[in-house]
Amino acid sequence: MPDIWPPAEPREAQLTAGEASLAVDLRGGALRRLTVAGWEVLDGYPAGGTFPGRRGAVLLPWPNRLRDGRWTWEGEQLQLEVASPASPNAAHGLVGWQPWSVLAATADTATVGTTVLPRPGYPFRLAAAVDLALTADRLTTTLRVRNDGDRRAPLGAGFHPYLSVGADTDGGIGDAELHVPARTELLVDGGLPSGGTRPFDGAVGRIGDRALDVPLTDLVRDDDGWARVWLRGAAGELELAVDAAWPWLQVYSGETLPAGQRRRSLAVEPMTCPPNALADGVDLVVLEPGETWAGSWTLAWTPGS
């Protein structure tokens, strides 16, 4: 037999535009690293490494958590694998560890894709593609999903970027200033809906000691239909904007991350639905066979003086 082995080096797509550089991990399609003139705009992870906290991950066919991994669709009871006995929930979808492929690329654009294959707990087949376009001051990301199966397919989607504005010690995100264009917070216990909502004041200002791990909706949108989050710190200002396909945002300040990563950056996660949506049926996308869905979000940066 020939002595042939898979490649040992991590497989990535690389985009550059001016002083901006983006690395896309083809294990999971994650936005692994985004730098601008030495500024680590995304709090990422080393090439070939693991990504604690799902840094930069694509969340499909559901974002966030599903209680006990159990749900029902059209009378069929379904059971997904759960994270652990200590955390018996299905978390963040199915594509985070599987291979993705480069479908098209130029110096400053790329499309990467994968297939969600039917499996116990999710008996649907989806094609997924992420279109990326990088300029000197902005990254535009579009997720496209097509139902490649022969039955209606429910899904949710999301992304998990950690935004960094210059903090280099644990707790440093407390010095940043934050504004979130959301008016309603979903009440959760252990990250899962506990019943009800309450008003949310998105004019957070300086984060300080405030712990954030909240699903937010009722987004305030500009005349163009986009909702815009901004985060300002020593390195500069970031603006994350979502189009109408994303009615939810999860904001997480990293309290439960390991030492050396805790509260150094802020996860701002575009989501199509809240936690437990497959079971609760809230804001699910449902695709007929052959039907497609798409949603876009952008991240823009202005370096500090």
Side-chain angles (χ1 to χ4, degrees), residues 241-279:
V242 297
D243 73 7
W246 311 98
W248 290 83
L249 296 168
Q250 180 86 18
V251 178
Y252 170 53
S253 49
E255 275 67 29
T256 60
L257 294 176
Q261 303 169 16
R262 190 171 299 140
R263 289 182 62 84
R264 292 191 179 205
S265 55
L266 188 76
V268 180
E269 309 164 39
M271 302 191 305
T272 61
C273 58
N276 213 49
L278 286 179

PDB file of all heavy atoms in Angstrom, residues 241-279:
ATOM      1  N   ALA A 241     -22.919  44.979  12.508  1.00  0.00           N
ATOM      2  CA  ALA A 241     -24.268  45.270  12.003  1.00  0.00           C
ATOM      3  C   ALA A 241     -24.876  44.017  11.411  1.00  0.00           C
ATOM      4  O   ALA A 241     -24.188  43.216  10.765  1.00  0.00           O
ATOM      5  CB  ALA A 241     -24.212  46.380  10.954  1.00  0.00           C
ATOM      6  N   VAL A 242     -26.191  43.836  11.634  1.00  0.00           N
ATOM      7  CA  VAL A 242     -26.895  42.649  11.135  1.00  0.00           C
ATOM      8  C   VAL A 242     -28.083  43.073  10.290  1.00  0.00           C
ATOM      9  O   VAL A 242     -28.757  44.060  10.586  1.00  0.00           O
ATOM     10  CB  VAL A 242     -27.366  41.748  12.297  1.00  0.00           C
ATOM     11  CG1 VAL A 242     -26.173  41.209  13.073  1.00  0.00           C
ATOM     12  CG2 VAL A 242     -28.324  42.478  13.241  1.00  0.00           C
ATOM     13  N   ASP A 243     -28.362  42.324   9.229  1.00  0.00           N
ATOM     14  CA  ASP A 243     -29.534  42.616   8.412  1.00  0.00           C
ATOM     15  C   ASP A 243     -30.769  41.960   9.027  1.00  0.00           C
ATOM     16  O   ASP A 243     -30.720  41.363  10.109  1.00  0.00           O
ATOM     17  CB  ASP A 243     -29.299  42.238   6.948  1.00  0.00           C
ATOM     18  CG  ASP A 243     -29.290  40.739   6.687  1.00  0.00           C
ATOM     19  OD1 ASP A 243     -29.592  39.947   7.599  1.00  0.00           O
ATOM     20  OD2 ASP A 243     -28.969  40.345   5.535  1.00  0.00           O
ATOM     21  N   ALA A 244     -31.897  42.061   8.331  1.00  0.00           N
ATOM     22  CA  ALA A 244     -33.172  41.629   8.908  1.00  0.00           C
ATOM     23  C   ALA A 244     -33.259  40.127   9.118  1.00  0.00           C
ATOM     24  O   ALA A 244     -34.154  39.656   9.826  1.00  0.00           O
ATOM     25  CB  ALA A 244     -34.316  42.091   7.998  1.00  0.00           C
ATOM     26  N   ALA A 245     -32.342  39.351   8.541  1.00  0.00           N
ATOM     27  CA  ALA A 245     -32.366  37.906   8.719  1.00  0.00           C
ATOM     28  C   ALA A 245     -31.974  37.475  10.124  1.00  0.00           C
ATOM     29  O   ALA A 245     -32.189  36.332  10.514  1.00  0.00           O
ATOM     30  CB  ALA A 245     -31.442  37.235   7.703  1.00  0.00           C
ATOM     31  N   TRP A 246     -31.396  38.430  10.892  1.00  0.00           N
ATOM     32  CA  TRP A 246     -30.908  38.123  12.238  1.00  0.00           C
ATOM     33  C   TRP A 246     -31.722  38.933  13.250  1.00  0.00           C
ATOM     34  O   TRP A 246     -31.371  40.058  13.579  1.00  0.00           O
ATOM     35  CB  TRP A 246     -29.430  38.469  12.367  1.00  0.00           C
ATOM     36  CG  TRP A 246     -28.574  37.943  11.261  1.00  0.00           C
ATOM     37  CD1 TRP A 246     -28.150  38.630  10.164  1.00  0.00           C
ATOM     38  CD2 TRP A 246     -28.039  36.623  11.134  1.00  0.00           C
ATOM     39  NE1 TRP A 246     -27.385  37.836   9.362  1.00  0.00           N
ATOM     40  CE2 TRP A 246     -27.299  36.587   9.939  1.00  0.00           C
ATOM     41  CE3 TRP A 246     -28.114  35.475  11.922  1.00  0.00           C
ATOM     42  CZ2 TRP A 246     -26.648  35.439   9.508  1.00  0.00           C
ATOM     43  CZ3 TRP A 246     -27.455  34.334  11.490  1.00  0.00           C
ATOM     44  CH2 TRP A 246     -26.735  34.324  10.299  1.00  0.00           C
ATOM     45  N   PRO A 247     -32.811  38.391  13.797  1.00  0.00           N
ATOM     46  CA  PRO A 247     -33.611  39.140  14.768  1.00  0.00           C
ATOM     47  C   PRO A 247     -33.120  39.013  16.202  1.00  0.00           C
ATOM     48  O   PRO A 247     -33.695  39.622  17.101  1.00  0.00           O
ATOM     49  CB  PRO A 247     -35.005  38.515  14.624  1.00  0.00           C
ATOM     50  CG  PRO A 247     -34.759  37.134  14.132  1.00  0.00           C
ATOM     51  CD  PRO A 247     -33.509  37.177  13.316  1.00  0.00           C
ATOM     52  N   TRP A 248     -32.050  38.228  16.426  1.00  0.00           N
ATOM     53  CA  TRP A 248     -31.530  38.007  17.772  1.00  0.00           C
ATOM     54  C   TRP A 248     -30.029  38.268  17.819  1.00  0.00           C
ATOM     55  O   TRP A 248     -29.314  38.061  16.835  1.00  0.00           O
ATOM     56  CB  TRP A 248     -31.785  36.563  18.216  1.00  0.00           C
ATOM     57  CG  TRP A 248     -33.220  36.242  18.468  1.00  0.00           C
ATOM     58  CD1 TRP A 248     -34.171  35.898  17.546  1.00  0.00           C
ATOM     59  CD2 TRP A 248     -33.877  36.260  19.738  1.00  0.00           C
ATOM     60  NE1 TRP A 248     -35.374  35.699  18.154  1.00  0.00           N
ATOM     61  CE2 TRP A 248     -35.230  35.894  19.506  1.00  0.00           C
ATOM     62  CE3 TRP A 248     -33.468  36.519  21.044  1.00  0.00           C
ATOM     63  CZ2 TRP A 248     -36.163  35.808  20.542  1.00  0.00           C
ATOM     64  CZ3 TRP A 248     -34.387  36.431  22.074  1.00  0.00           C
ATOM     65  CH2 TRP A 248     -35.716  36.085  21.820  1.00  0.00           C
ATOM     66  N   LEU A 249     -29.577  38.702  18.998  1.00  0.00           N
ATOM     67  CA  LEU A 249     -28.156  38.817  19.310  1.00  0.00           C
ATOM     68  C   LEU A 249     -27.916  38.179  20.677  1.00  0.00           C
ATOM     69  O   LEU A 249     -28.702  38.395  21.601  1.00  0.00           O
ATOM     70  CB  LEU A 249     -27.701  40.278  19.371  1.00  0.00           C
ATOM     71  CG  LEU A 249     -27.773  41.106  18.088  1.00  0.00           C
ATOM     72  CD1 LEU A 249     -27.579  42.585  18.418  1.00  0.00           C
ATOM     73  CD2 LEU A 249     -26.715  40.640  17.091  1.00  0.00           C
ATOM     74  N   GLN A 250     -26.851  37.408  20.797  1.00  0.00           N
ATOM     75  CA  GLN A 250     -26.395  36.949  22.104  1.00  0.00           C
ATOM     76  C   GLN A 250     -25.147  37.749  22.440  1.00  0.00           C
ATOM     77  O   GLN A 250     -24.204  37.819  21.639  1.00  0.00           O
ATOM     78  CB  GLN A 250     -26.066  35.455  22.084  1.00  0.00           C
ATOM     79  CG  GLN A 250     -25.571  34.898  23.410  1.00  0.00           C
ATOM     80  CD  GLN A 250     -26.698  34.474  24.342  1.00  0.00           C
ATOM     81  OE1 GLN A 250     -27.835  34.291  23.895  1.00  0.00           O
ATOM     82  NE2 GLN A 250     -26.389  34.311  25.617  1.00  0.00           N
ATOM     83  N   VAL A 251     -25.116  38.358  23.624  1.00  0.00           N
ATOM     84  CA  VAL A 251     -23.958  39.131  24.074  1.00  0.00           C
ATOM     85  C   VAL A 251     -23.378  38.435  25.300  1.00  0.00           C
ATOM     86  O   VAL A 251     -24.101  38.187  26.276  1.00  0.00           O
ATOM     87  CB  VAL A 251     -24.346  40.589  24.385  1.00  0.00           C
ATOM     88  CG1 VAL A 251     -23.135  41.367  24.893  1.00  0.00           C
ATOM     89  CG2 VAL A 251     -24.924  41.264  23.143  1.00  0.00           C
ATOM     90  N   TYR A 252     -22.080  38.120  25.238  1.00  0.00           N
ATOM     91  CA  TYR A 252     -21.431  37.301  26.276  1.00  0.00           C
ATOM     92  C   TYR A 252     -20.073  37.897  26.606  1.00  0.00           C
ATOM     93  O   TYR A 252     -19.226  38.073  25.726  1.00  0.00           O
ATOM     94  CB  TYR A 252     -21.294  35.866  25.764  1.00  0.00           C
ATOM     95  CG  TYR A 252     -20.444  34.957  26.605  1.00  0.00           C
ATOM     96  CD1 TYR A 252     -20.675  34.802  27.966  1.00  0.00           C
ATOM     97  CD2 TYR A 252     -19.406  34.227  26.019  1.00  0.00           C
ATOM     98  CE1 TYR A 252     -19.895  33.947  28.731  1.00  0.00           C
ATOM     99  CE2 TYR A 252     -18.622  33.363  26.776  1.00  0.00           C
ATOM    100  CZ  TYR A 252     -18.875  33.229  28.130  1.00  0.00           C
ATOM    101  OH  TYR A 252     -18.098  32.384  28.877  1.00  0.00           O
ATOM    102  N   SER A 253     -19.876  38.193  27.897  1.00  0.00           N
ATOM    103  CA  SER A 253     -18.640  38.848  28.327  1.00  0.00           C
ATOM    104  C   SER A 253     -17.580  37.888  28.848  1.00  0.00           C
ATOM    105  O   SER A 253     -16.548  38.333  29.353  1.00  0.00           O
ATOM    106  CB  SER A 253     -18.951  39.909  29.389  1.00  0.00           C
ATOM    107  OG  SER A 253     -19.770  39.407  30.415  1.00  0.00           O
ATOM    108  N   GLY A 254     -17.798  36.591  28.739  1.00  0.00           N
ATOM    109  CA  GLY A 254     -16.715  35.634  28.933  1.00  0.00           C
ATOM    110  C   GLY A 254     -16.396  35.250  30.358  1.00  0.00           C
ATOM    111  O   GLY A 254     -15.260  34.840  30.647  1.00  0.00           O
ATOM    112  N   GLU A 255     -17.385  35.315  31.262  1.00  0.00           N
ATOM    113  CA  GLU A 255     -17.103  34.970  32.664  1.00  0.00           C
ATOM    114  C   GLU A 255     -16.663  33.519  32.842  1.00  0.00           C
ATOM    115  O   GLU A 255     -15.875  33.216  33.737  1.00  0.00           O
ATOM    116  CB  GLU A 255     -18.350  35.207  33.531  1.00  0.00           C
ATOM    117  CG  GLU A 255     -18.527  36.615  34.025  1.00  0.00           C
ATOM    118  CD  GLU A 255     -18.819  37.590  32.896  1.00  0.00           C
ATOM    119  OE1 GLU A 255     -19.399  37.185  31.872  1.00  0.00           O
ATOM    120  OE2 GLU A 255     -18.465  38.767  33.044  1.00  0.00           O
ATOM    121  N   THR A 256     -17.169  32.600  32.041  1.00  0.00           N
ATOM    122  CA  THR A 256     -16.923  31.179  32.256  1.00  0.00           C
ATOM    123  C   THR A 256     -15.748  30.644  31.440  1.00  0.00           C
ATOM    124  O   THR A 256     -15.479  29.436  31.479  1.00  0.00           O
ATOM    125  CB  THR A 256     -18.182  30.363  31.910  1.00  0.00           C
ATOM    126  OG1 THR A 256     -18.518  30.572  30.538  1.00  0.00           O
ATOM    127  CG2 THR A 256     -19.353  30.788  32.782  1.00  0.00           C
ATOM    128  N   LEU A 257     -15.041  31.496  30.724  1.00  0.00           N
ATOM    129  CA  LEU A 257     -13.888  31.047  29.953  1.00  0.00           C
ATOM    130  C   LEU A 257     -12.704  30.760  30.873  1.00  0.00           C
ATOM    131  O   LEU A 257     -12.648  31.240  32.005  1.00  0.00           O
ATOM    132  CB  LEU A 257     -13.514  32.113  28.920  1.00  0.00           C
ATOM    133  CG  LEU A 257     -14.544  32.371  27.819  1.00  0.00           C
ATOM    134  CD1 LEU A 257     -14.080  33.507  26.931  1.00  0.00           C
ATOM    135  CD2 LEU A 257     -14.791  31.114  26.995  1.00  0.00           C
ATOM    136  N   PRO A 258     -11.720  29.985  30.393  1.00  0.00           N
ATOM    137  CA  PRO A 258     -10.559  29.681  31.225  1.00  0.00           C
ATOM    138  C   PRO A 258      -9.748  30.933  31.554  1.00  0.00           C
ATOM    139  O   PRO A 258      -9.786  31.940  30.830  1.00  0.00           O
ATOM    140  CB  PRO A 258      -9.741  28.722  30.348  1.00  0.00           C
ATOM    141  CG  PRO A 258     -10.700  28.198  29.329  1.00  0.00           C
ATOM    142  CD  PRO A 258     -11.688  29.284  29.094  1.00  0.00           C
ATOM    143  N   ALA A 259      -8.999  30.856  32.652  1.00  0.00           N
ATOM    144  CA  ALA A 259      -8.087  31.950  33.001  1.00  0.00           C
ATOM    145  C   ALA A 259      -7.142  32.218  31.841  1.00  0.00           C
ATOM    146  O   ALA A 259      -6.676  31.300  31.161  1.00  0.00           O
ATOM    147  CB  ALA A 259      -7.300  31.582  34.255  1.00  0.00           C
ATOM    148  N   GLY A 260      -6.873  33.488  31.617  1.00  0.00           N
ATOM    149  CA  GLY A 260      -6.077  33.889  30.464  1.00  0.00           C
ATOM    150  C   GLY A 260      -6.917  34.257  29.259  1.00  0.00           C
ATOM    151  O   GLY A 260      -6.390  34.807  28.287  1.00  0.00           O
ATOM    152  N   GLN A 261      -8.232  33.956  29.312  1.00  0.00           N
ATOM    153  CA  GLN A 261      -9.152  34.306  28.228  1.00  0.00           C
ATOM    154  C   GLN A 261     -10.405  34.991  28.766  1.00  0.00           C
ATOM    155  O   GLN A 261     -11.242  35.423  27.993  1.00  0.00           O
ATOM    156  CB  GLN A 261      -9.572  33.041  27.478  1.00  0.00           C
ATOM    157  CG  GLN A 261      -8.420  32.242  26.921  1.00  0.00           C
ATOM    158  CD  GLN A 261      -8.852  30.876  26.433  1.00  0.00           C
ATOM    159  OE1 GLN A 261     -10.025  30.622  26.237  1.00  0.00           O
ATOM    160  NE2 GLN A 261      -7.901  29.987  26.238  1.00  0.00           N
ATOM    161  N   ARG A 262     -10.509  35.114  30.075  1.00  0.00           N
ATOM    162  CA  ARG A 262     -11.762  35.521  30.712  1.00  0.00           C
ATOM    163  C   ARG A 262     -11.935  37.036  30.649  1.00  0.00           C
ATOM    164  O   ARG A 262     -11.068  37.792  31.053  1.00  0.00           O
ATOM    165  CB  ARG A 262     -11.757  35.042  32.165  1.00  0.00           C
ATOM    166  CG  ARG A 262     -13.068  35.164  32.897  1.00  0.00           C
ATOM    167  CD  ARG A 262     -12.981  34.455  34.244  1.00  0.00           C
ATOM    168  NE  ARG A 262     -12.703  33.036  34.094  1.00  0.00           N
ATOM    169  CZ  ARG A 262     -11.871  32.345  34.878  1.00  0.00           C
ATOM    170  NH1 ARG A 262     -11.218  32.963  35.845  1.00  0.00           N
ATOM    171  NH2 ARG A 262     -11.694  31.052  34.670  1.00  0.00           N
ATOM    172  N   ARG A 263     -13.080  37.473  30.116  1.00  0.00           N
ATOM    173  CA  ARG A 263     -13.454  38.892  30.063  1.00  0.00           C
ATOM    174  C   ARG A 263     -12.378  39.757  29.393  1.00  0.00           C
ATOM    175  O   ARG A 263     -12.125  40.882  29.801  1.00  0.00           O
ATOM    176  CB  ARG A 263     -13.760  39.423  31.474  1.00  0.00           C
ATOM    177  CG  ARG A 263     -15.061  38.869  32.038  1.00  0.00           C
ATOM    178  CD  ARG A 263     -15.381  39.442  33.413  1.00  0.00           C
ATOM    179  NE  ARG A 263     -15.563  40.893  33.380  1.00  0.00           N
ATOM    180  CZ  ARG A 263     -16.694  41.508  33.065  1.00  0.00           C
ATOM    181  NH1 ARG A 263     -17.760  40.810  32.732  1.00  0.00           N
ATOM    182  NH2 ARG A 263     -16.768  42.826  33.075  1.00  0.00           N
ATOM    183  N   ARG A 264     -11.767  39.225  28.341  1.00  0.00           N
ATOM    184  CA  ARG A 264     -10.814  40.019  27.562  1.00  0.00           C
ATOM    185  C   ARG A 264     -11.450  40.564  26.290  1.00  0.00           C
ATOM    186  O   ARG A 264     -10.914  41.466  25.657  1.00  0.00           O
ATOM    187  CB  ARG A 264      -9.598  39.163  27.185  1.00  0.00           C
ATOM    188  CG  ARG A 264      -8.741  38.775  28.373  1.00  0.00           C
ATOM    189  CD  ARG A 264      -7.432  38.164  27.912  1.00  0.00           C
ATOM    190  NE  ARG A 264      -6.595  37.822  29.054  1.00  0.00           N
ATOM    191  CZ  ARG A 264      -5.279  37.735  29.008  1.00  0.00           C
ATOM    192  NH1 ARG A 264      -4.643  37.975  27.875  1.00  0.00           N
ATOM    193  NH2 ARG A 264      -4.585  37.405  30.071  1.00  0.00           N
ATOM    194  N   SER A 265     -12.547  39.953  25.886  1.00  0.00           N
ATOM    195  CA  SER A 265     -13.240  40.344  24.661  1.00  0.00           C
ATOM    196  C   SER A 265     -14.727  40.108  24.877  1.00  0.00           C
ATOM    197  O   SER A 265     -15.141  39.564  25.908  1.00  0.00           O
ATOM    198  CB  SER A 265     -12.720  39.534  23.465  1.00  0.00           C
ATOM    199  OG  SER A 265     -12.824  38.140  23.717  1.00  0.00           O
ATOM    200  N   LEU A 266     -15.518  40.522  23.909  1.00  0.00           N
ATOM    201  CA  LEU A 266     -16.973  40.427  24.026  1.00  0.00           C
ATOM    202  C   LEU A 266     -17.518  39.649  22.833  1.00  0.00           C
ATOM    203  O   LEU A 266     -17.331  40.058  21.688  1.00  0.00           O
ATOM    204  CB  LEU A 266     -17.590  41.824  24.068  1.00  0.00           C
ATOM    205  CG  LEU A 266     -19.094  41.880  24.373  1.00  0.00           C
ATOM    206  CD1 LEU A 266     -19.332  41.634  25.870  1.00  0.00           C
ATOM    207  CD2 LEU A 266     -19.677  43.223  23.957  1.00  0.00           C
ATOM    208  N   ALA A 267     -18.183  38.539  23.108  1.00  0.00           N
ATOM    209  CA  ALA A 267     -18.865  37.814  22.031  1.00  0.00           C
ATOM    210  C   ALA A 267     -20.167  38.526  21.706  1.00  0.00           C
ATOM    211  O   ALA A 267     -20.979  38.781  22.593  1.00  0.00           O
ATOM    212  CB  ALA A 267     -19.141  36.377  22.450  1.00  0.00           C
ATOM    213  N   VAL A 268     -20.345  38.865  20.443  1.00  0.00           N
ATOM    214  CA  VAL A 268     -21.600  39.434  19.947  1.00  0.00           C
ATOM    215  C   VAL A 268     -22.033  38.524  18.809  1.00  0.00           C
ATOM    216  O   VAL A 268     -21.430  38.513  17.740  1.00  0.00           O
ATOM    217  CB  VAL A 268     -21.429  40.883  19.476  1.00  0.00           C
ATOM    218  CG1 VAL A 268     -22.767  41.424  18.968  1.00  0.00           C
ATOM    219  CG2 VAL A 268     -20.891  41.758  20.599  1.00  0.00           C
ATOM    220  N   GLU A 269     -23.082  37.745  19.045  1.00  0.00           N
ATOM    221  CA  GLU A 269     -23.446  36.630  18.175  1.00  0.00           C
ATOM    222  C   GLU A 269     -24.739  36.918  17.410  1.00  0.00           C
ATOM    223  O   GLU A 269     -25.821  36.919  18.014  1.00  0.00           O
ATOM    224  CB  GLU A 269     -23.624  35.359  19.012  1.00  0.00           C
ATOM    225  CG  GLU A 269     -22.450  35.060  19.931  1.00  0.00           C
ATOM    226  CD  GLU A 269     -22.803  34.046  21.001  1.00  0.00           C
ATOM    227  OE1 GLU A 269     -23.544  33.075  20.662  1.00  0.00           O
ATOM    228  OE2 GLU A 269     -22.372  34.197  22.150  1.00  0.00           O
ATOM    229  N   PRO A 270     -24.671  37.153  16.100  1.00  0.00           N
ATOM    230  CA  PRO A 270     -25.901  37.215  15.313  1.00  0.00           C
ATOM    231  C   PRO A 270     -26.597  35.859  15.345  1.00  0.00           C
ATOM    232  O   PRO A 270     -25.965  34.815  15.132  1.00  0.00           O
ATOM    233  CB  PRO A 270     -25.406  37.547  13.901  1.00  0.00           C
ATOM    234  CG  PRO A 270     -24.017  38.081  14.083  1.00  0.00           C
ATOM    235  CD  PRO A 270     -23.471  37.384  15.284  1.00  0.00           C
ATOM    236  N   MET A 271     -27.905  35.837  15.598  1.00  0.00           N
ATOM    237  CA  MET A 271     -28.665  34.589  15.651  1.00  0.00           C
ATOM    238  C   MET A 271     -30.013  34.793  14.964  1.00  0.00           C
ATOM    239  O   MET A 271     -30.609  35.860  15.053  1.00  0.00           O
ATOM    240  CB  MET A 271     -28.890  34.136  17.095  1.00  0.00           C
ATOM    241  CG  MET A 271     -27.627  33.921  17.912  1.00  0.00           C
ATOM    242  SD  MET A 271     -27.907  33.087  19.508  1.00  0.00           S
ATOM    243  CE  MET A 271     -29.133  34.146  20.277  1.00  0.00           C
ATOM    244  N   THR A 272     -30.491  33.735  14.325  1.00  0.00           N
ATOM    245  CA  THR A 272     -31.822  33.789  13.724  1.00  0.00           C
ATOM    246  C   THR A 272     -32.908  33.474  14.735  1.00  0.00           C
ATOM    247  O   THR A 272     -34.087  33.739  14.473  1.00  0.00           O
ATOM    248  CB  THR A 272     -31.934  32.780  12.570  1.00  0.00           C
ATOM    249  OG1 THR A 272     -31.717  31.459  13.083  1.00  0.00           O
ATOM    250  CG2 THR A 272     -30.911  33.072  11.478  1.00  0.00           C
ATOM    251  N   CYS A 273     -32.543  32.885  15.866  1.00  0.00           N
ATOM    252  CA  CYS A 273     -33.530  32.409  16.834  1.00  0.00           C
ATOM    253  C   CYS A 273     -32.906  32.389  18.221  1.00  0.00           C
ATOM    254  O   CYS A 273     -31.682  32.448  18.356  1.00  0.00           O
ATOM    255  CB  CYS A 273     -34.040  31.019  16.446  1.00  0.00           C
ATOM    256  SG  CYS A 273     -32.727  29.779  16.322  1.00  0.00           S
ATOM    257  N   PRO A 274     -33.717  32.270  19.258  1.00  0.00           N
ATOM    258  CA  PRO A 274     -33.197  32.232  20.618  1.00  0.00           C
ATOM    259  C   PRO A 274     -32.742  30.826  21.004  1.00  0.00           C
ATOM    260  O   PRO A 274     -32.927  29.867  20.233  1.00  0.00           O
ATOM    261  CB  PRO A 274     -34.413  32.652  21.449  1.00  0.00           C
ATOM    262  CG  PRO A 274     -35.579  32.133  20.676  1.00  0.00           C
ATOM    263  CD  PRO A 274     -35.195  32.286  19.225  1.00  0.00           C
ATOM    264  N   PRO A 275     -32.165  30.656  22.203  1.00  0.00           N
ATOM    265  CA  PRO A 275     -31.870  29.313  22.695  1.00  0.00           C
ATOM    266  C   PRO A 275     -33.126  28.444  22.735  1.00  0.00           C
ATOM    267  O   PRO A 275     -34.238  28.937  22.928  1.00  0.00           O
ATOM    268  CB  PRO A 275     -31.343  29.566  24.113  1.00  0.00           C
ATOM    269  CG  PRO A 275     -30.882  30.986  24.120  1.00  0.00           C
ATOM    270  CD  PRO A 275     -31.769  31.707  23.156  1.00  0.00           C
ATOM    271  N   ASN A 276     -32.922  27.152  22.542  1.00  0.00           N
ATOM    272  CA  ASN A 276     -33.972  26.130  22.621  1.00  0.00           C
ATOM    273  C   ASN A 276     -35.019  26.258  21.522  1.00  0.00           C
ATOM    274  O   ASN A 276     -36.129  25.720  21.633  1.00  0.00           O
ATOM    275  CB  ASN A 276     -34.658  26.142  23.991  1.00  0.00           C
ATOM    276  CG  ASN A 276     -35.103  24.758  24.429  1.00  0.00           C
ATOM    277  OD1 ASN A 276     -34.331  23.803  24.375  1.00  0.00           O
ATOM    278  ND2 ASN A 276     -36.342  24.626  24.854  1.00  0.00           N
ATOM    279  N   ALA A 277     -34.683  26.924  20.441  1.00  0.00           N
ATOM    280  CA  ALA A 277     -35.680  27.221  19.413  1.00  0.00           C
ATOM    281  C   ALA A 277     -36.177  25.969  18.699  1.00  0.00           C
ATOM    282  O   ALA A 277     -37.349  25.905  18.299  1.00  0.00           O
ATOM    283  CB  ALA A 277     -35.116  28.211  18.397  1.00  0.00           C
ATOM    284  N   LEU A 278     -35.319  24.950  18.490  1.00  0.00           N
ATOM    285  CA  LEU A 278     -35.805  23.748  17.821  1.00  0.00           C
ATOM    286  C   LEU A 278     -36.946  23.111  18.608  1.00  0.00           C
ATOM    287  O   LEU A 278     -37.898  22.592  18.028  1.00  0.00           O
ATOM    288  CB  LEU A 278     -34.667  22.736  17.643  1.00  0.00           C
ATOM    289  CG  LEU A 278     -33.624  23.042  16.563  1.00  0.00           C
ATOM    290  CD1 LEU A 278     -32.561  21.957  16.543  1.00  0.00           C
ATOM    291  CD2 LEU A 278     -34.252  23.185  15.185  1.00  0.00           C
ATOM    292  N   ALA A 279     -36.846  23.164  19.938  1.00  0.00           N
ATOM    293  CA  ALA A 279     -37.905  22.584  20.765  1.00  0.00           C
ATOM    294  C   ALA A 279     -39.091  23.522  20.915  1.00  0.00           C
ATOM    295  O   ALA A 279     -40.248  23.086  20.893  1.00  0.00           O
ATOM    296  CB  ALA A 279     -37.349  22.223  22.144  1.00  0.00           C
TER     297      ALA A 279
END
